[in-house]
Amino acid sequence: PNAVHLDTDATSYDSGVSFTTGSLFNVSSLDVRAVGSSYCSATMESECWGPAPNFEGYFNDPYPYIWISGFENNALVSTLGIYLPRSLVFETLFLGDDFAGIDRLVVSVRSFYDLGLPGFCNVGQPCAHIDVDNVTLESVPEPTAGILMGVGLAGLATRRRG
């Protein structure tokens, strides 16, 4: 109930969510549940459906439909496109130094159409959809705060000696 659901198209859900804190932060981790990608990479739609539709086959053609992007001052500084197999459980993604010192994090789901890939999507269904939960952001201490604290502690030590 607290997770954010994202779809590529064909539904009323958003395709992305943005996180900001008003200052720089590091992204430690986030949980993603890959509800699925309904993409078929065949060159002819009949190859996807066959004589008897096999919808499960749609979910096994991987493409990087989960996109995680980090921004600083509205400039893209890091991005990660990944594929996760369809799952009913959340998987924790740990993000490294590429997502440190940013001021905005965007998690989105992208269609194979957006990526310029050939293929077909299950009619009336989103091409891909995910759930995002437990995004862990850590504040980056301001350099001036450390300096002020150091000066304050030095002042206290000097005062105590006197």
Side-chain angles (χ1 to χ4, degrees):
N2 295 325
V4 174
H5 183 81
L6 304 173
D7 282 345
T8 51
D9 45 29
T11 72
S12 61
Y13 291 102
D14 289 332
S15 62
V17 62
S18 182
F19 300 88
T20 60
T21 65
S23 63
L24 297 179
F25 59 85
N26 301 330
V27 183
S28 295
S29 64
L30 61 123
D31 294 344
V32 177
R33 177 172 48 203
V35 183
S37 66
S38 55
Y39 166 68
C40 178
S41 61
T43 55
M44 295 177 49
E45 193 170 5
S46 61
E47 295 174 30
C48 301
W49 297 99
N54 179 4
F55 294 108
E56 194 62 36
Y58 261 78
F59 293 100
N60 295 321
D61 289 318
Y63 70 96
Y65 63 92
I66 301 169
W67 286 79
I68 304 168
S69 304
F71 295 85
E72 184 178 0
N73 295 323
N74 288 324
L76 179 67
V77 295
S78 56
T79 188
L80 175 65
I82 60 172
Y83 162 81
L84 291 177
R86 193 171 111 182
S87 175
L88 298 177
V89 298
F90 280 93
E91 180 173 332
T92 301
L93 302 178
F94 295 96
L95 303 178
D97 293 339
D98 289 344
F99 291 89
I102 61 175
D103 58 19
R104 183 166 53 110
L105 173 72
V106 176
V107 180
S108 59
V109 61
R110 298 190 57 189
S111 166
F112 68 96
Y113 296 117
D114 298 334
L115 302 171
L117 299 173
F120 302 94
C121 189
N122 193 354
V123 178
Q125 299 291 319
C127 292
H129 50 162
I130 62 172
D131 292 332
V132 178
D133 201 2
N134 298 322
V135 178
T136 305
L137 309 177
E138 299 170 346
S139 296
V140 173
E142 295 288 332
T144 55
I147 293 170
L148 287 174
M149 188 161 77
V151 169
L153 290 173
L156 283 173
T158 304
R159 185 169 185 226
R160 189 169 185 166
R161 280 188 190 167

